[in-house]
Amino acid sequence: MTTERRKLIEVALPLDEINAACKADKGRAHGTIKNLHKWFAPMPLPAWRALLFAALVDDPADEDKRVYLLDLIKRLVANGADLPDDDTLIEAREILAKHFPDGVPTVMDPFCGGGSTLVEAQRLGLPTYGSDLNPVPVLITRTLTELLPKVHGQQPLHPEALETPKSKGRRSNNRAHHGQTSLLGNTGAVRTYEGYDGLVRDVTYYAEQIRDQAWEKLKASYPIQPGETPIAWLWARTATCPNPACGIETVLSTSWWLSKKKGDRAWIQPRVENKEVRLEVISGQRDGEAPPSPKVGRGASFTCLGCTELIDEEKLIDQGRNRRIGLRMTAVVADRGGRRIYRAPNSTEIDAARAAGAPNGVGEIKLPDNPRWFSGPRFGFTTQADVYTPRQLLTVATFADLVAETYETVTEDGGRKEWADVTTTLLGLGVGRLSQFASTQARWTVRDNVSSFEGAFPRNDLPITWDFYEINVFGEAGPSWMQAFASTLRSLKNVVGDGSGVVVRADARTTTPPMKSLIATDPPYFEAIGYADLSDYFYIWHRLALRRVHPDLYATMAAPKTGELTAIPSHHGGSGDAAKRYFIEGFTETFGNLRKSLFSGLPMLVVYASKEQKGGKDELSRWASILTAMVDAELEITGTWPINGTGDRRMIGQGTNAVATYIVMVVRPRDRSAAPCSLGEFTKALRRELGAAVRDLQAASILPVDMAQAVMGPGMSIYSRYASVVDQSGARVDVDDALRLINSVFGEVQEEQEGELDADSQFAVTWWHKHGWAHGPFGEADQLARAKGISVDDVVRAQIATSKGGKVAAIGGDILDRGWDPLKDDRPTAWEAVHHLVDRLIDGGGEAEASVLLDKLTQRGLADSARALAYRLAAVAATTKRTKDEERYNALIDAWTRLTSSAQGGLF
């Protein structure tokens, strides 16, 4: 067991406050560093701010001093998605300086991803060193932590004039001429810029120049109708009906809706005339419904619009591989006099789109033949270029080429190398961001009263899309070229102005920082995300735009795949076992290498994540692999913390590979004096310690769906403290077996918690497990009640069940009596408490009403048992596949901290 002085993170953290801030960060759609450029599964910034500080300061072993440090962490995250107050940051930096009088340590992240670890390290006044094998995250993190701090506070080359009453309204409307000379005509006075505002000004200026130059090159491809500004052109794929008696070119639309806005509903009305599909746009309707989509089920099957014959997936695959899947423009969205209109496309628009020729040699990178993330190749769309229409490909390539030329322009305008580097880099990242909304991955999504523009990667994949929108990149509405920068540049307010960092492209197995460091990282999640394969989507555009600025990142045509530390079977001849071995061996080597770079006395922070999907065998294998690598590298887990990775924008119920909970593991090199232990001793330690750990996790409101993964952390903390765990034969108990044992003991803990409930609730849990909300025979209920020392009449009087006509059913699935008051009930139960809370939270008055009830339950001493029961019922719902019930119990746990706070007078 390690004898190092413990850090605060190994003793205590204010999890409620950290998780509330993470939820806010995840729910924030704009104004965070996530908006600079897309990366996959980013860790929330407030979490890293809190974790890094807690990993650096010693636990004072004094309750008052510990409370002060925990309060400081609370203040560091108190503003949620917004930055901490300046006074709080200064206070935190001063404490760290006192802890390290010879100089604060560098923070190293060898899987730098979207840069959140290192941005927050710099916010705390720490120098940083980042690396990644993939050029895309290197570019993002280099921009945030190396390039941007060097130009903080500098003035732009093209400042705006200070407006006077006489000069207002006199600016030129020629967007191609926003230079300094034309702006200074009246007063000669210009703005003084602070922070990154000067850079924002110049990036905006050059982005406008690029837009105007691109327009001159591309305007023939984008005809404009008099009196209109196009917003988007809508497209759908087409296929030939296989019915010989029909044979029409049918449209493969997944929805005919254009708008459901109140009083202005619009849709496409298809009809077949003379073996040809005609599409009429119906708009400006107060009521009415779009016709049903020809899409059938969840797969790639459609019915023919002419004869209704099914065109199943296999037929579409055959047509696609023979290049017989076509494209058809279905509608136009435009602005006319400040009002959005929907209309059918005309021949000029259709011909212009079809005439645009895709540039040679762009996007010829092969898409992986991996249907899990790339369904296009099955249908004949085999390259990155196939993800775009020819006009889209030409357009994005034109913008990328113009960005590449801008470096020279900036230097000719008087910009120093650092200014030219960062300006061009931000423009290049803008091309990557534009590509998310300028490919066939862009979806026109129609919900009640809102039609929205969705881009690529709402999930971490590139599926085939059957219909999509083509944005007007030159417009002002939707995610156009300039609108992309409106979002991107707002993220700069989160970048540290006095940061110091270096970011390189390097392999985590061999990279070494220039000095000993605090290592904090969020490594790849086994095979959950195909980082390198997916990043080619951006890499091709970054390379085209930024080869001159970052030559070290673009030596290859595609993002490097060899050496990526993931367990993707297709990278290993299709063998899952070979992929797993590679992952374990690679991370064992990585952790062994990183140990050499650890700052003396500091732990290493390693974040791992469970997915939104249910746990089970696959999830166990993912955890076993990363944990095996840690153990084989002779590391000991000295602390684990579950961090909420869920925001309000989470895609509930879609089975995605989005992150639900991050598990932060605090690890140190295992003490050389650590001894082996027997399997029996390990089991006893689990039973002795895991119950308290489960209660701590429940107190932190970890979602029930994530509990099985979260419990692995404290369980493995016990396992890893020993040199080895051996069974009766002397054979080593490996991590897979240890995790199964941890899971078994976790089940025992859950059963023990159920046994602590009142007898009426125990009856209800067992009954509901078998029957759900359905009726069951009285005799069975009577036998079960007697075993609990009660009767069926007791549970009926307790309002837990109904008994009528020889049938018994649990109460709680329908709307309940909202006048129920536990303070006035002679026999309140945990079962009633849970279901009244759920009812009021979801079906009643929401959090305000539920918090009032929770306050009364707390007074009655039922709050803790109600929370434990909610976890138990969520677990039962998961195993019995009662999805709706599981979501309701998860929603209660998710809201528990907020309900508690408001019940104490914090919110309502």
Side-chain angles (χ1 to χ4, degrees), residues 743-766:
N743 194 48
S744 175
V745 175
F746 173 48
E748 294 175 11
V749 171
Q750 290 178 300
E751 290 174 2
E752 288 171 6
Q753 288 187 321
E754 183 179 329
E756 295 168 0
L757 297 171
D758 57 88
D760 296 314
S761 296
Q762 289 182 43
F763 166 90
V765 173
T766 305

Side-chain angles (χ1 to χ4, degrees), residues 154 169 193 218 233 268 292 310 386 455 521 593 599 624 775 800 836:
Q154 293 187 21
Y193 294 79
L218 298 170
W233 298 268
I268 297 170
L310 181 68
D386 290 333
T521 190
N593 174 56
F599 191 97
H775 289 79
I800 277 180
H836 279 283

Side-chain angles (χ1 to χ4, degrees), residues 584-624:
I584 293 173
E585 291 169 2
F587 268 101
T588 301
E589 190 177 351
T590 294
F591 289 132
N593 174 56
L594 295 176
R595 282 185 55 167
K596 303 172 195 172
S597 299
L598 266 177
F599 191 97
S600 177
L602 293 183
M604 185 188 307
L605 304 184
V606 181
V607 175
Y608 216 62
S610 60
K611 301 193 322 182
E612 279 189 1
Q613 297 168 337
K614 307 296 184 291
K617 181 179 177 182
D618 289 343
E619 191 68 10
L620 203 66
S621 179
R622 297 181 187 104
W623 274 97

Side-chain angles (χ1 to χ4, degrees), residues 23 644 646 701 703-704 889-898:
K23 185 178 181 69
N644 194 326
T646 304
S701 297
L703 291 180
Y889 297 129
N890 269 278
L892 174 59
I893 294 300
D894 187 44
W896 197 277
T897 299
R898 299 191 300 280

